[in-house]
């Protein structure tokens, strides 16, 4: 859940069009964007439910050995000559995948694959020089994550609303 911290706006961003997955996760992420006051528009993209035979290609972004935290960026579907990347990461304790909000087709096709592999949206990452990202985190046991979140003591109404929204969406999709 540490990816939620990435939603904090640190610098003014240019207005842009952001594509989010239709459904409860997209609604939750849209509420975060609305609360952050980021300029631009949000469009909910219907998900592609067809099987993704070739898998996905991910590019490494970060590896923190002491935390066993790995961040990877989704490059797209595996094609000819490109091998699919293993989902989830075999070495990471905390496995994060960044999905660009700049292309509706990529959001539509990759979101169901990530959800089926046990990844759930946990936040957004703003970028100055590229489209913003949805951050997905692999959760082997979403029900245990919901229980842990339910025991957390959060300071402030905004933080409680953010967690409450995540728990609600998690319950509706698991």
């Amino acid at each position: 859940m540490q990816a939620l911290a990435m939603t904090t706006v640190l610098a003014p961003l240019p207005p842009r069009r952001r594509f989010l997955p239709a459904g409860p996760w997209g609604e939750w992420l849209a509420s975060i964007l609305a609360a952050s006051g980021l300029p631009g528009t949000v469009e909910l993209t219907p998900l592609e439910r067809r099987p993704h035979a070739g898998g996905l290609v991910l590019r490494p972004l970060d590896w923190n050995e002491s935390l066993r935290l790995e961040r990877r960026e989704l490059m797209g579907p595996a094609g000819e000559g490109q091998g699919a990347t293993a989902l989830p990461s075999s070495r990471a304790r905390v496995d994060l995948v960044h999905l660009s909000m700049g292309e509706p087709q990529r959001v539509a096709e990759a979101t169901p694959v990530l959800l089926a592999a046990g990844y759930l949206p946990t936040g957004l990452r703003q970028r100055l020089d590229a489209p913003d990202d949805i951050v997905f985190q692999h959760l082997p046991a979403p029900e245990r994550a919901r229980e842990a979140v339910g025991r957390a003591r959060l300071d402030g109404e905004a933080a409680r609303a953010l967690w409450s929204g995540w728990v609600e969406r998690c319950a509706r999709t698991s």
Side-chain angles (χ1 to χ4, degrees):
M1 300 322 140
Q2 304 215 2
L4 288 169
M6 292 181 200
T7 305
T8 304
V9 179
L10 300 176
L13 295 173
R16 57 176 57 135
R17 197 166 162 197
R18 294 171 180 90
F19 298 96
L20 296 172
W25 291 113
E27 295 164 10
W28 177 67
L29 293 167
S31 74
I32 293 171
L33 284 168
S36 69
L38 291 173
T41 60
V42 170
E43 292 184 33
L44 296 177
T45 303
L47 300 180
E48 297 281 333
R49 298 288 183 193
R50 61 190 163 105
H52 217 350
L56 301 173
V57 175
L58 301 171
R59 178 178 72 88
L61 289 175
D62 268 338
W63 169 248
N64 183 312
E65 181 69 38
S66 60
L67 296 175
R68 288 187 25 232
L69 183 146
E70 183 168 21
R71 284 189 323 122
R72 301 177 291 170
E73 177 180 26
L74 180 77
M75 301 308 292
E80 280 187 43
Q82 287 182 308
T85 306
L87 288 174
S89 168
S90 60
R91 67 180 183 164
R93 184 182 61 79
V94 179
D95 182 9
L96 304 175
V97 172
H98 291 240
L99 171 62
S100 172
M101 289 187 267
E103 299 175 36
Q105 193 63 34
R106 185 171 292 177
V107 170
E109 291 177 355
T111 299
V113 174
L114 290 168
L115 292 172
Y119 289 81
L120 294 178
T122 55
L124 304 169
R125 179 176 183 229
Q126 293 84 39
R127 301 171 73 151
L128 285 173
D129 56 351
D132 299 337
D133 296 335
I134 302 169
V135 179
F136 285 81
Q137 181 174 346
H138 183 256
L139 295 173
E143 61 284 347
R144 285 193 1 232
R146 278 198 317 269
E147 289 171 15
V149 167
R151 292 189 307 269
R153 296 189 193 277
L154 302 169
D155 185 28
E157 188 61 36
R160 284 191 289 277
L162 187 63
W163 283 113
S164 174
W166 188 86
V167 170
E168 177 187 330
R169 269 52 174 203
C170 192
R172 288 170 51 192
T173 58
S174 31

